[in-house]
Amino acid sequence: MTEKLKITTKHPRGADGYKTFSIRVREETLDKINKISEETGRSRNELIGMLLDFSLKNSEVV
């Protein structure tokens, strides 16, 4: 007997805990992100998330 392919329903957008939004950055900043992306093989999106997480953990409001 052949095993059946199990297809689950797709989660609605944002159900994975992530949200999509747009930002404006300077060209120089984007160039630096693109360079790191190329050097590490990580996506721009992944890098930006890592940079934001680090910044939030290491920031203080005074």
Side-chain angles (χ1 to χ4, degrees):
M1 182 170 186
T2 316
E3 188 175 332
K4 292 185 179 184
L5 173 64
K6 296 177 182 168
I7 303 172
T8 59
T9 57
K10 185 175 179 180
H11 294 290
R13 186 176 292 241
D16 60 357
Y18 290 89
K19 299 292 180 193
T20 302
F21 65 98
S22 298
I23 62 168
R24 289 172 37 126
V25 296
R26 295 189 177 275
E27 266 188 68
E28 298 84 23
T29 302
L30 182 57
D31 291 343
K32 289 176 185 177
I33 291 170
N34 285 335
K35 185 172 190 266
I36 295 170
S37 176
E38 289 173 15
E39 290 175 359
T40 62
R42 294 186 182 270
S43 70
R44 248 191 334 210
N45 184 66
E46 186 178 11
L47 286 172
I48 291 169
M50 293 170 73
L51 294 165
L52 285 171
D53 286 342
F54 179 84
S55 295
L56 290 169
K57 290 175 186 170
N58 294 283
S59 296
E60 179 180 350
V61 177
V62 292

Coordinates of all heavy atoms in Angstrom, one line a residue:
M1 N 0.9 -1.2 0.0 CA 0.0 0.0 0.0 C 0.9 1.2 0.0 O 1.9 1.3 0.7 CB -0.9 0.0 1.2 CG -1.8 1.1 1.3 SD -3.0 0.8 2.6 CE -4.1 2.2 2.4
T2 N 0.5 2.2 -0.8 CA 1.3 3.4 -0.9 C 1.0 4.4 0.2 O -0.2 4.6 0.5 CB 1.0 4.1 -2.3 OG1 1.0 3.1 -3.3 CG2 2.0 5.1 -2.6
E3 N 2.0 5.1 0.7 CA 1.7 6.1 1.8 C 1.2 7.3 1.1 O 1.7 7.7 0.0 CB 3.1 6.4 2.5 CG 2.9 7.3 3.7 CD 4.2 7.5 4.5 OE1 5.0 6.6 4.4 OE2 4.3 8.6 5.1
K4 N 0.2 8.0 1.7 CA -0.4 9.2 1.2 C 0.4 10.4 1.6 O 1.0 10.5 2.7 CB -1.8 9.3 1.6 CG -2.7 8.2 1.1 CD -4.2 8.5 1.5 CE -5.1 7.4 0.9 NZ -6.5 7.7 1.1
L5 N 0.4 11.4 0.7 CA 1.0 12.7 1.0 C 0.1 13.4 1.9 O -1.1 13.6 1.6 CB 1.3 13.4 -0.3 CG 1.7 14.9 -0.2 CD1 3.1 14.9 0.5 CD2 1.8 15.5 -1.5
K6 N 0.6 13.9 3.0 CA -0.3 14.7 3.9 C 0.0 16.1 3.7 O 1.1 16.6 3.9 CB 0.0 14.3 5.4 CG -0.3 12.8 5.6 CD 0.0 12.4 7.0 CE -0.3 10.9 7.1 NZ 0.2 10.3 8.3
I7 N -1.1 16.9 3.4 CA -1.0 18.3 3.1 C -1.8 19.0 4.2 O -3.0 18.8 4.3 CB -1.6 18.6 1.7 CG1 -0.8 17.8 0.7 CG2 -1.5 20.1 1.5 CD1 -1.4 18.0 -0.7
T8 N -1.1 19.9 4.9 CA -1.8 20.6 6.0 C -2.2 22.0 5.5 O -1.7 22.5 4.4 CB -0.9 20.8 7.2 OG1 0.3 21.5 6.8 CG2 -0.5 19.5 7.8
T9 N -3.2 22.6 6.2 CA -3.6 23.9 5.7 C -2.5 25.0 6.0 O -1.7 24.8 7.0 CB -4.9 24.4 6.5 OG1 -4.7 24.3 7.9 CG2 -6.1 23.5 6.1
K10 N -2.4 26.0 5.2 CA -1.4 27.0 5.4 C -1.8 28.0 6.5 O -3.0 28.3 6.6 CB -1.3 27.8 4.1 CG -0.2 28.8 4.0 CD 0.0 29.4 2.7 CE 1.1 30.4 2.7 NZ 1.2 31.0 1.4
H11 N -0.9 28.3 7.3 CA -1.1 29.3 8.4 C -1.3 30.7 7.8 O -0.7 31.0 6.8 CB 0.0 29.3 9.4 CG 0.2 28.1 10.2 ND1 -0.7 27.6 11.1 CD2 1.2 27.1 10.1 CE1 -0.3 26.5 11.6 NE2 0.9 26.2 11.0
P12 N -2.2 31.4 8.4 CA -2.4 32.8 7.9 C -1.1 33.6 8.0 O -0.4 33.3 8.9 CB -3.6 33.4 8.7 CG -3.9 32.4 9.7 CD -3.1 31.1 9.5
R13 N -1.0 34.6 7.2 CA 0.2 35.5 7.3 C 0.3 36.1 8.7 O -0.6 36.5 9.2 CB 0.1 36.6 6.3 CG 1.3 37.5 6.2 CD 1.2 38.5 5.1 NE 1.2 37.8 3.8 CZ 2.0 38.0 2.8 NH1 3.0 38.9 3.0 NH2 2.0 37.4 1.7
G14 N 1.5 36.0 9.2 CA 1.8 36.5 10.6 C 1.6 35.5 11.7 O 1.9 35.8 12.8
A15 N 1.0 34.3 11.4 CA 0.8 33.3 12.4 C 2.1 32.7 12.9 O 2.1 32.0 13.9 CB -0.2 32.3 11.8
D16 N 3.2 32.9 12.2 CA 4.5 32.3 12.6 C 5.2 33.2 13.6 O 6.3 33.0 14.0 CB 5.3 32.1 11.4 CG 5.7 33.3 10.6 OD1 5.2 34.4 10.9 OD2 6.4 33.2 9.6
G17 N 4.6 34.4 14.0 CA 5.2 35.3 15.0 C 6.0 36.4 14.3 O 6.6 37.2 15.0
Y18 N 6.1 36.4 13.0 CA 6.8 37.4 12.3 C 5.8 38.4 11.6 O 4.7 38.0 11.2 CB 7.7 36.8 11.2 CG 8.8 36.0 11.7 CD1 8.7 34.7 12.0 CD2 10.1 36.6 11.9 CE1 9.8 34.0 12.5 CE2 11.2 35.9 12.4 CZ 11.0 34.6 12.7 OH 12.1 33.9 13.2
K19 N 6.2 39.6 11.5 CA 5.5 40.7 10.9 C 6.3 41.3 9.8 O 7.5 41.4 9.9 CB 5.0 41.8 11.8 CG 4.1 41.3 13.0 CD 2.8 40.8 12.4 CE 1.9 40.3 13.6 NZ 0.8 39.6 13.1
T20 N 5.7 41.7 8.7 CA 6.4 42.3 7.6 C 6.1 43.9 7.6 O 5.0 44.3 7.9 CB 5.8 41.8 6.3 OG1 6.1 40.4 6.2 CG2 6.5 42.4 5.1
F21 N 7.2 44.6 7.5 CA 7.0 46.1 7.4 C 8.2 46.7 6.6 O 9.2 46.0 6.3 CB 7.0 46.7 8.8 CG 8.2 46.6 9.6 CD1 9.1 47.6 9.6 CD2 8.5 45.4 10.2 CE1 10.3 47.5 10.4 CE2 9.7 45.3 11.0 CZ 10.6 46.3 11.0
S22 N 8.0 47.9 6.2 CA 9.0 48.6 5.3 C 9.8 49.6 6.2 O 9.2 50.2 7.1 CB 8.3 49.3 4.2 OG 7.7 48.4 3.3
I23 N 11.1 49.7 5.8 CA 11.9 50.8 6.5 C 12.7 51.5 5.4 O 12.9 50.9 4.3 CB 12.8 50.2 7.5 CG1 13.8 49.2 6.9 CG2 12.0 49.6 8.7 CD1 15.0 48.8 7.9
R24 N 13.2 52.6 5.7 CA 14.1 53.4 4.8 C 15.5 53.4 5.5 O 15.6 53.6 6.7 CB 13.6 54.8 4.7 CG 12.4 55.0 3.8 CD 11.9 56.4 3.8 NE 12.9 57.4 3.9 CZ 13.0 58.4 3.0 NH1 12.1 58.5 2.0 NH2 13.9 59.3 3.1
V25 N 16.5 53.0 4.7 CA 17.9 53.1 5.3 C 18.7 53.8 4.3 O 18.5 53.8 3.1 CB 18.4 51.7 5.5 CG1 17.6 51.0 6.6 CG2 18.5 50.8 4.3
R26 N 19.8 54.3 4.7 CA 20.8 55.0 3.9 C 21.4 53.9 3.0 O 21.6 52.8 3.3 CB 21.9 55.7 4.7 CG 21.3 56.8 5.5 CD 22.5 57.6 6.1 NE 22.0 58.7 6.9 CZ 21.7 59.9 6.3 NH1 21.9 60.1 5.1 NH2 21.3 60.9 7.1
E27 N 21.8 54.4 1.8 CA 22.5 53.5 0.8 C 23.7 52.8 1.4 O 24.0 51.7 1.2 CB 22.9 54.2 -0.4 CG 21.8 54.2 -1.5 CD 22.3 54.8 -2.8 OE1 23.3 54.2 -3.4 OE2 21.8 55.8 -3.2
E28 N 24.5 53.6 2.2 CA 25.7 53.1 2.8 C 25.4 51.9 3.8 O 26.1 51.0 3.8 CB 26.5 54.2 3.6 CG 26.9 55.4 2.7 CD 25.9 56.4 2.5 OE1 24.9 56.5 3.3 OE2 26.0 57.1 1.5
T29 N 24.3 52.1 4.5 CA 23.9 51.0 5.4 C 23.5 49.8 4.7 O 23.9 48.6 5.0 CB 22.7 51.5 6.3 OG1 23.1 52.7 7.0 CG2 22.3 50.4 7.3
L30 N 22.7 49.9 3.6 CA 22.3 48.8 2.8 C 23.6 48.1 2.1 O 23.6 46.9 2.1 CB 21.3 49.2 1.7 CG 20.8 48.2 0.8 CD1 20.1 47.1 1.6 CD2 19.9 48.7 -0.2
D31 N 24.5 48.9 1.7 CA 25.7 48.4 1.1 C 26.5 47.5 2.1 O 27.0 46.4 1.8 CB 26.7 49.5 0.6 CG 26.1 50.2 -0.6 OD1 25.2 49.7 -1.3 OD2 26.6 51.3 -0.9
K32 N 26.5 47.9 3.4 CA 27.2 47.2 4.4 C 26.5 45.9 4.7 O 27.1 44.8 4.8 CB 27.3 48.0 5.7 CG 28.3 49.1 5.6 CD 28.3 49.9 6.9 CE 29.2 51.2 6.8 NZ 29.2 52.0 8.0
I33 N 25.1 45.9 4.7 CA 24.3 44.7 5.0 C 24.5 43.8 3.8 O 24.7 42.6 4.0 CB 22.8 45.1 5.2 CG1 22.7 45.9 6.5 CG2 22.0 43.9 5.1 CD1 21.3 46.5 6.7
N34 N 24.5 44.3 2.6 CA 24.7 43.4 1.4 C 26.0 42.7 1.4 O 26.2 41.6 1.1 CB 24.5 44.2 0.1 CG 23.0 44.5 -0.2 OD1 22.1 43.8 0.3 ND2 22.8 45.6 -0.9
K35 N 27.1 43.5 1.8 CA 28.4 42.9 1.9 C 28.5 41.8 2.9 O 29.0 40.7 2.6 CB 29.4 44.0 2.2 CG 30.9 43.5 2.2 CD 31.8 44.7 2.4 CE 33.2 44.3 2.1 NZ 34.0 43.9 3.2
I36 N 27.9 42.0 4.1 CA 27.9 40.9 5.1 C 27.1 39.7 4.6 O 27.5 38.6 4.8 CB 27.3 41.5 6.4 CG1 28.3 42.5 7.0 CG2 27.2 40.3 7.4 CD1 27.7 43.3 8.2
S37 N 26.0 40.0 3.9 CA 25.2 38.9 3.4 C 25.9 38.1 2.4 O 25.9 36.8 2.5 CB 23.9 39.6 2.7 OG 23.2 38.6 2.0
E38 N 26.7 38.7 1.5 CA 27.5 38.0 0.6 C 28.6 37.2 1.2 O 28.9 36.0 0.9 CB 28.1 38.9 -0.5 CG 27.1 39.5 -1.4 CD 27.8 40.6 -2.3 OE1 29.0 40.7 -2.4 OE2 27.0 41.4 -2.9
E39 N 29.2 37.8 2.2 CA 30.4 37.1 2.9 C 29.9 35.9 3.8 O 30.6 34.9 3.9 CB 31.1 38.1 3.9 CG 31.8 39.2 3.1 CD 32.4 40.2 4.0 OE1 32.2 40.1 5.3 OE2 33.1 41.1 3.5
T40 N 28.7 36.0 4.3 CA 28.2 34.9 5.3 C 27.3 34.0 4.7 O 27.0 32.9 5.3 CB 27.6 35.6 6.5 OG1 26.4 36.3 6.1 CG2 28.5 36.5 7.2
G41 N 26.7 34.3 3.5 CA 25.7 33.4 2.9 C 24.3 33.5 3.6 O 23.4 32.7 3.3
R42 N 24.1 34.5 4.4 CA 22.9 34.7 5.1 C 22.0 35.8 4.3 O 22.6 36.6 3.6 CB 23.1 35.2 6.5 CG 23.7 34.2 7.4 CD 23.8 34.7 8.8 NE 24.4 33.8 9.7 CZ 23.8 32.8 10.4 NH1 22.5 32.7 10.2 NH2 24.4 32.0 11.2
S43 N 20.7 35.6 4.4 CA 19.9 36.6 3.6 C 19.9 37.9 4.3 O 20.2 38.1 5.5 CB 18.4 36.1 3.6 OG 17.8 36.2 4.9
R44 N 19.6 39.0 3.6 CA 19.5 40.3 4.1 C 18.5 40.3 5.3 O 18.7 40.9 6.3 CB 19.1 41.3 3.1 CG 20.1 42.3 2.7 CD 19.6 43.4 1.8 NE 18.4 43.1 1.0 CZ 18.2 43.7 -0.1 NH1 19.1 44.5 -0.6 NH2 17.1 43.4 -0.8
N45 N 17.4 39.7 5.1 CA 16.3 39.7 6.1 C 16.8 39.1 7.4 O 16.6 39.6 8.5 CB 15.1 38.9 5.5 CG 14.0 38.9 6.5 OD1 13.4 40.0 6.7 ND2 13.6 37.8 7.0
E46 N 17.5 37.9 7.3 CA 18.0 37.2 8.4 C 19.0 38.1 9.2 O 19.0 38.2 10.4 CB 18.7 35.9 8.0 CG 19.2 35.1 9.1 CD 19.8 33.8 8.7 OE1 20.1 33.6 7.5 OE2 20.1 32.9 9.6
L47 N 19.9 38.8 8.4 CA 20.9 39.7 9.0 C 20.3 40.9 9.7 O 20.6 41.2 10.9 CB 21.9 40.2 8.0 CG 22.9 39.2 7.5 CD1 23.7 39.8 6.3 CD2 23.9 38.8 8.6
I48 N 19.3 41.5 9.1 CA 18.6 42.6 9.7 C 17.9 42.2 11.0 O 18.0 42.9 12.0 CB 17.6 43.2 8.7 CG1 18.4 43.9 7.6 CG2 16.7 44.2 9.4 CD1 17.5 44.4 6.4
G49 N 17.3 41.0 11.0 CA 16.7 40.5 12.2 C 17.8 40.3 13.3 O 17.5 40.6 14.5
M50 N 18.9 39.7 13.0 CA 20.0 39.5 13.9 C 20.5 40.8 14.5 O 20.7 41.0 15.7 CB 21.1 38.7 13.3 CG 20.8 37.3 12.9 SD 22.0 36.5 11.9 CE 23.3 36.2 13.1
L51 N 20.7 41.8 13.6 CA 21.2 43.1 14.0 C 20.2 43.8 14.9 O 20.6 44.4 15.9 CB 21.5 44.0 12.8 CG 22.7 43.5 11.9 CD1 22.7 44.2 10.6 CD2 24.0 43.7 12.6
L52 N 18.9 43.7 14.6 CA 17.9 44.3 15.4 C 17.8 43.7 16.8 O 17.8 44.3 17.8 CB 16.5 44.3 14.8 CG 16.3 45.2 13.6 CD1 15.0 44.9 12.9 CD2 16.3 46.6 14.1
D53 N 17.9 42.3 16.8 CA 17.8 41.6 18.1 C 19.0 42.0 19.0 O 18.9 42.3 20.2 CB 17.9 40.1 17.9 CG 16.6 39.5 17.4 OD1 15.5 40.2 17.6 OD2 16.6 38.4 16.9
F54 N 20.2 42.1 18.4 CA 21.4 42.4 19.2 C 21.3 43.9 19.7 O 21.6 44.1 20.9 CB 22.7 42.3 18.3 CG 23.9 42.7 19.0 CD1 24.6 41.8 19.8 CD2 24.4 44.0 18.9 CE1 25.7 42.2 20.5 CE2 25.6 44.4 19.5 CZ 26.2 43.5 20.3
S55 N 20.8 44.8 18.8 CA 20.7 46.2 19.2 C 19.7 46.3 20.4 O 19.9 47.1 21.3 CB 20.3 47.0 18.0 OG 21.3 47.0 17.1
L56 N 18.6 45.6 20.3 CA 17.6 45.8 21.3 C 18.1 45.2 22.7 O 17.8 45.8 23.7 CB 16.3 45.1 20.9 CG 15.5 45.7 19.8 CD1 14.4 44.8 19.2 CD2 14.9 47.1 20.2
K57 N 18.8 44.1 22.6 CA 19.3 43.5 23.8 C 20.5 44.4 24.4 O 20.7 44.3 25.6 CB 19.9 42.1 23.5 CG 18.8 41.1 23.3 CD 19.4 39.8 22.9 CE 18.3 38.8 22.4 NZ 18.8 37.6 21.8
N58 N 21.1 45.2 23.6 CA 22.2 46.0 24.1 C 22.0 47.5 24.1 O 23.0 48.2 23.9 CB 23.5 45.6 23.2 CG 23.9 44.2 23.5 OD1 24.5 43.8 24.5 ND2 23.5 43.3 22.5
S59 N 20.8 47.9 24.2 CA 20.4 49.3 24.2 C 19.8 49.7 25.6 O 19.3 48.8 26.3 CB 19.4 49.6 23.1 OG 19.9 49.3 21.8
E60 N 20.0 50.9 25.9 CA 19.4 51.4 27.1 C 18.8 52.8 26.9 O 19.4 53.7 26.2 CB 20.6 51.6 28.1 CG 20.1 52.1 29.5 CD 21.3 52.2 30.5 OE1 22.4 51.7 30.2 OE2 21.0 52.9 31.5
V61 N 17.6 53.0 27.3 CA 16.9 54.3 27.2 C 17.3 55.1 28.4 O 17.2 54.7 29.6 CB 15.4 54.1 27.2 CG1 14.7 55.5 27.1 CG2 15.0 53.3 26.0
V62 N 17.9 56.3 28.1 CA 18.3 57.2 29.2 C 17.6 58.6 29.1 O 17.1 59.0 28.1 CB 19.8 57.4 29.2 CG1 20.5 56.2 29.5 CG2 20.3 58.0 27.8

